[in-house]
């Protein structure tokens, strides 16, 4: 393996141990570790953060250039991740990125590495995702598709794309006035929900980083690579997570990608996949009914 890996950690020793073990299997030559600091009002959090950092010290036992960016005090999810990735991309041109709750299949790494090289100079592509969230059993001959969406449950990108990220969303008011989200192909229900979230982020009322990254891609018409099987499982959906998804957003178990990869014929959005993703985020009446049935009957209402 040649590509550097950025590993984002905080206070979850067990998840960190599992993901680090998977990183160890491929032994990247360079590992960037980004760690947030403990919150002063959370009992026991300083000890958990220290335990995580000790795991890093003990767990990297292969020949590796380990570079650490550890916050002494808590920066919060948004500023810690964004500033950490700024630090990574100030040093390297591209990287594979994992958070402490994103457990990859071993094939995730060569998948990212091959596509980082393939699309390195293709400015239409900004993001290589490790998971698909939902595919509903649709079979494709290709190994991946292109989408206007892209999960950050294990992903990769290039400096050329990340430099467009703006945590403060300075361009959002003008882009909202220009109806940018609709121009990017998002439907009315989705535009309404996403505008409300971007308004809150711009006002400083919500603290995260991934919506800003999505905004950077939408506003430039950039695409993401989505594998047709899930290569990363989210193992952090419990009471330790800072942000916990709604029950309908579950993480699928991982599969193993087959090589050589079968590439799409063209670099363009896959309409079927994008329609499914949009319906999960801003569901139609039928989708809301299905979701309600699932919550009531725990998988029933078939």
């Amino acid at each position: 393996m040649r590509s550097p890996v950025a590993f984002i950690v905080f206070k979850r020793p067990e998840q960190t141990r599992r993901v680090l073990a998977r990183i160890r299997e491929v032994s990247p030559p360079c590992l960037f570790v980004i760690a947030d600091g403990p919150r002063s009002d959370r009992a026991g959090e300083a000890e958990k953060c220290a335990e995580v950092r000790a795991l890093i010290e003990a767990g990297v036992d292969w020949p590796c250039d380990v570079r650490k960016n550890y916050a002494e005090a808590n920066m919060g999810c948004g500023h810690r991740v964004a500033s950490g990735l700024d630090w990574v991309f100030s040093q390297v041109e591209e990287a594979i990125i994992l958070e402490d709750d994103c457990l990859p299949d071993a094939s995730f790494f060569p998948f990212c590495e091959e596509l980082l090289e393939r699309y390195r100079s293709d400015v239409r592509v900004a993001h290589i995702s490790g998971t698909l969230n939902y595919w509903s059993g649709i079979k494709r001959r290709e190994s991946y598709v292109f989408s206007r969406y892209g999960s950050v449950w294990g992903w990769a990108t290039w400096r050329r794309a990340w430099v467009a990220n703006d945590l403060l969303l300075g361009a959002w008011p003008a882009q909202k006035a220009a109806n940018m989200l609709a121009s990017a192909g998002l439907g009315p229900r989705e535009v309404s929900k996403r505008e409300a979230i971007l308004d809150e982020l711009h006002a400083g009322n919500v603290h995260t980083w991934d919506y800003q990254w999505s905004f950077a891609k939408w506003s430039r018409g950039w695409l993401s690579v989505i594998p047709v099987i899930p290569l990363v499982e989210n193992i952090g959906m419990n009471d330790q997570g800072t942000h916990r998804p709604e029950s309908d957003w579950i993480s699928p178990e991982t599969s193993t990608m087959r090589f050589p990869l079968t590439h799409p014929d063209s670099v363009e959005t896959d309409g079927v996949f994008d329609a499914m993703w949009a319906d999960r985020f801003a569901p139609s009446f039928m989708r809301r009914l299905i979701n309600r049935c699932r919550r009531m009957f725990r998988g029933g209402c078939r």
Side-chain angles (χ1 to χ4, degrees):
M1 182 176 174
R2 303 178 305 277
S3 299
V5 171
F7 189 26
I8 302 166
V9 300
F10 179 29
K11 61 164 188 170
R12 293 184 284 190
E14 181 54 36
Q15 288 90 338
T16 299
R17 183 181 293 107
R18 292 177 65 186
V19 178
L20 182 60
R22 195 58 50 86
I23 294 171
R24 184 181 183 277
E25 290 178 16
V26 298
S27 300
C30 183
L31 180 67
F32 293 88
V33 185
I34 302 162
D36 205 355
R39 290 166 287 195
S40 59
D41 60 344
R42 303 296 177 94
E45 196 161 273
E47 291 78 6
K48 291 291 186 183
C49 290
E51 185 178 352
V52 164
R53 297 179 189 194
L55 283 171
I56 300 296
E57 298 298 325
V60 183
D61 57 359
W62 67 93
C64 184
D65 176 10
V66 182
R67 308 181 193 183
K68 292 171 283 191
N69 189 317
Y70 291 174
E72 294 304 315
N74 190 262
M75 298 174 66
C77 176
H79 285 286
R80 175 65 291 197
V81 174
S83 66
L85 293 180
D86 288 344
W87 169 72
V88 169
F89 289 110
S90 72
Q91 301 172 70
V92 294
E93 293 288 342
E94 58 197 42
I96 298 169
I97 303 157
L98 288 164
E99 296 186 58
D100 58 7
D101 59 359
C102 296
L103 182 66
D105 180 80
S107 63
F108 163 74
F109 297 97
F111 176 78
C112 289
E113 189 162 75
E114 179 173 338
L115 297 182
L116 281 170
E117 180 177 359
R118 183 179 181 88
Y119 296 109
R120 184 173 292 145
S121 301
D122 191 331
V123 296
R124 296 170 294 178
V125 182
H127 180 123
I128 300 166
S129 184
T131 194
L132 47 76
N133 286 70
Y134 292 101
W135 192 250
S136 296
I138 293 176
K139 302 298 182 184
R140 300 299 300 263
R141 69 170 184 83
E142 304 95 336
S143 301
Y144 59 93
V145 299
F146 292 101
S147 171
R148 63 173 60 92
Y149 307 101
S151 172
V152 293
W153 290 353
W155 60 294
T157 192
W158 303 264
R159 175 194 291 169
R160 63 162 172 82
W162 181 255
V163 293
N165 191 63
D166 177 12
L167 188 68
L168 301 180
L169 287 174
W172 168 237
Q175 293 281 16
K176 180 181 179 181
N179 205 19
M180 180 274 292
L181 294 180
S183 298
L186 279 61
R189 288 195 310 275
E190 190 179 5
V191 166
S192 178
K193 289 187 69 174
R194 292 195 186 276
E195 282 189 345
I197 294 170
L198 290 165
D199 284 343
E200 290 292 293
L201 284 164
H202 183 259
N205 298 328
V206 178
H207 303 286
T208 189
W209 65 273
D210 52 339
Y211 256 93
Q212 293 90 325
W213 175 231
S214 294
F215 170 78
K217 293 183 289 181
W218 291 326
S219 62
R220 292 164 176 81
W222 288 343
L223 298 179
S224 299
V225 166
I226 310 292
V228 298
I229 58 172
L231 302 178
V232 180
E233 178 185 2
N234 189 303
I235 58 172
M237 294 182 181
N238 54 38
D239 58 4
Q240 295 182 49
T242 300
H243 299 120
R244 294 184 293 277
E246 297 178 6
S247 58
D248 191 44
W249 285 87
I250 58 174
S251 176
E253 294 183 359
T254 60
S255 300
T256 299
M257 180 62 70
R258 297 180 63 180
F259 295 88
L261 298 179
T262 301
H263 303 284
D265 294 330
S266 59
V267 179
E268 58 185 17
T269 297
D270 185 282
V272 173
F273 177 83
D274 276 13
M276 292 170 59
W277 190 300
D279 196 38
R280 288 285 178 174
F281 180 81
S284 62
F285 171 78
M286 182 57 67
R287 170 60 62 187
R288 293 197 300 271
L289 182 60
I290 291 170
N291 292 347
R292 180 175 297 179
C293 288
R294 284 176 173 167
R295 287 192 291 270
M296 289 176 62
F297 301 112
R298 294 183 180 180
C301 196
R302 299 182 186 278

